[in-house]
Amino acid sequence: GQQVMQIPQYQHVQEGEDFTTYCNSSTTLSNIQWYKQRPGGHPVFLIQLVKSGEVKKQKRLTFQFGEAKKNSSLHITATQTTDVGTYFCAVNDYKLSFGAGTTVTVRA
Amino acid sequence: DTAVSQTPKYLVTQMGNDKSIKCEQNLGHDTMYWYKQDSKKFLKIMFSYNNKELIINETVPNRFSPKSPDKAHLNLHINSLELGDSAVYFCASSQGLAGPNTGELFFGEGSRLTVL
C-alpha cells in the first residue's frame, strides 16, 4: 500500500509565528486528507485535496497538493494556542493510511 | 448525539485476560473501521467492514476478532491480552467504501487500553 512520509515529527512554535508541515510520497496519490488530533482527543477531518496543484484555505490554514500529486503541505499562519495538537496527512489506496503526524506545541 | 461512540473509554486489565470494545455510529454510514494508535501517536488500520462484511484485515493477530452485528455497530474482542496491546483503539466510519473514494473518516473518542 501507499506510504507517506510526514515531516517534521515535532514543531515547537512561538505564538504568532508561522509553520509548515509536509507530506511526501514516492507514488502518485489519488487524493490526500488532513486531520487534526488535539491532545487527549480523536482525529478530526480538516480537508481533502484531489486536484494537481490544488490550494485550499481554512482561515489561517493553507493546504496545498503538489503538481505531481506526490506531496502536500499544511501551512499555519500566526499560530495560536488553539493550534496545539498533532496534524496527520492520510492517503488512500484500498485503505486510508496515516502519516506519522506532526505534533505542534506553542510557546505563549 | 455523538456520531461515533465507543465504550469503554478506559480499560485497565491484566495480561492474559479477554476484553471487548464496542462501537456504534448513527451517521448511516456503510463502512466502519478499527484503528490502533500507539504511544508514538502512529495510527494504523486494523480492520474495515462494509455493511457487516469484513473487507480489510491488516495482518492483525488472531487474538483480535472484530464483529459487526449490523452496519451501525462494529465491536472488537481481544483474547489473551499482551503488554504490547496497550494503545488507544479508535473506531471510525465513512460514507464511502474503503479506497480512493472513501471520503472523510469520522472517529470515535477512543478507548485507551492498558495491559498490566
Side-chain angles (χ1 to χ4, degrees):
Chain A
Q2 292 175 330
Q3 291 190 345
V4 62
M5 297 296 294
Q6 190 170 355
I7 54 171
Q9 186 176 2
Y10 298 99
Q11 185 81 54
H12 308 290
V13 189
Q14 180 71 41
E15 191 174 16
E17 291 184 342
D18 303 350
F19 76 89
T20 304
T21 175
Y22 301 89
C23 276
N24 299 303
S25 170
S26 58
T27 59
T28 302
L29 305 170
S30 57
N31 58 67
I32 192 164
Q33 297 181 359
W34 286 90
Y35 290 77
K36 177 183 178 181
Q37 183 177 18
R38 296 182 184 275
H42 58 280
V44 176
F45 176 82
L46 294 176
I47 210 157
Q48 176 169 290
L49 304 173
V50 179
K51 298 177 182 176
S52 168
E54 188 170 16
V55 178
K56 288 188 176 180
K57 291 189 176 183
Q58 291 179 352
K59 296 183 180 178
R60 295 177 295 102
L61 277 60
T62 301
F63 303 85
Q64 288 190 322
F65 203 8
E67 292 290 340
K69 299 182 70 173
K70 289 185 176 182
N71 55 71
S72 180
S73 64
L74 160 58
H75 181 77
I76 299 183
T77 58
T79 304
Q80 299 177 358
T81 55
T82 53
D83 296 324
V84 163
T86 301
Y87 294 83
F88 295 96
C89 61
V91 298
N92 255 323
D93 42 21
Y94 68 96
K95 61 181 180 180
L96 196 64
S97 297
F98 284 77
T102 294
T103 297
V104 177
T105 53
V106 179
R107 298 189 301 273
Chain B
D1 284 344
T2 305
V4 182
S5 58
Q6 50 184 112
T7 56
K9 193 168 183 178
Y10 298 98
L11 199 51
V12 180
T13 189
Q14 299 285 335
M15 277 176 54
N17 285 350
D18 304 337
K19 291 294 177 185
S20 292
I21 308 171
K22 296 185 176 182
C23 179
E24 175 182 4
Q25 54 95 4
N26 62 8
L27 297 168
H29 290 166
D30 286 340
T31 308
M32 296 185 71
Y33 310 81
W34 279 111
Y35 277 82
K36 178 180 180 181
Q37 186 171 48
D38 61 23
S39 58
K40 296 183 179 179
K41 295 194 177 74
F42 186 65
L43 268 167
K44 182 174 171 58
I45 190 168
M46 300 173 68
F47 301 103
S48 176
Y49 271 73
N50 178 259
N51 203 9
K52 303 191 297 177
E53 181 182 348
L54 178 65
I55 54 174
I56 293 175
N57 182 340
E58 284 290 299
T59 60
V60 179
N62 291 336
R63 299 182 295 104
F64 291 79
S65 52
K67 286 188 180 174
S68 181
D70 55 62
K71 74 173 193 176
H73 296 84
L74 180 60
N75 304 323
L76 183 63
H77 187 75
I78 315 171
N79 291 324
S80 303
L81 279 156
E82 300 177 356
L83 293 176
D85 297 332
S86 295
V88 180
Y89 292 84
F90 285 102
C91 177
S93 72
S94 67
Q95 189 167 19
L97 188 65
N101 300 311
T102 298
E104 72 176 276
L105 261 60
F106 293 80
F107 283 84
E109 294 186 346
S111 297
R112 180 175 292 277
L113 172 65
T114 303
V115 182
L116 303 175

